[in-house]
Amino acid sequence: GYGERVQFSVFEAHLKPQQLASLRKKVRRQIDPGKDSVRFYKLGEDFSKRVELEGLGSIVSKPKFLVY
């Protein structure tokens, strides 16, 4: 409910700060921190120049945060 699956365990999402906080809280409840790893990458204002894509898919336009 927070974005698009772009690979098996990779998601892109355009989230407002409160949505990101909610997602992080839900992730913390679901993972085993001794075994699991979830990474959040904030790409900033000019993200489109830092994202390259080969093959299928598209780059989300103007997201505030991308979650991978």
Side-chain angles (χ1 to χ4, degrees), residues 8-21:
F8 178 71
S9 60
V10 178
F11 297 84
E12 288 184 9
H14 177 181
L15 303 174
K16 295 177 181 174
Q18 58 269 41
Q19 291 172 307
L20 178 60

Side-chain angles (χ1 to χ4, degrees), residues 12-66:
E12 288 184 9
H14 177 181
L15 303 174
K16 295 177 181 174
Q18 58 269 41
Q19 291 172 307
L20 178 60
S22 174
L23 175 59
R24 291 177 73 108
K25 185 185 247 185
K26 289 178 181 181
V27 166
R28 278 189 222 108
R29 289 194 303 250
Q30 294 295 316
I31 67 169
D32 177 345
K35 295 180 182 177
D36 300 319
S37 174
V38 177
R39 297 173 188 219
F40 297 86
Y41 293 94
K42 298 177 187 178
L43 299 181
E45 291 294 319
D46 201 15
F47 79 94
S48 63
K49 291 182 180 170
R50 290 184 263 161
V51 176
E52 295 180 14
L53 174 65
E54 299 289 340
L56 296 175
S58 61
I59 298 171
V60 177
S61 62
K62 297 187 179 183
K64 295 197 183 302
F65 299 96
L66 291 178

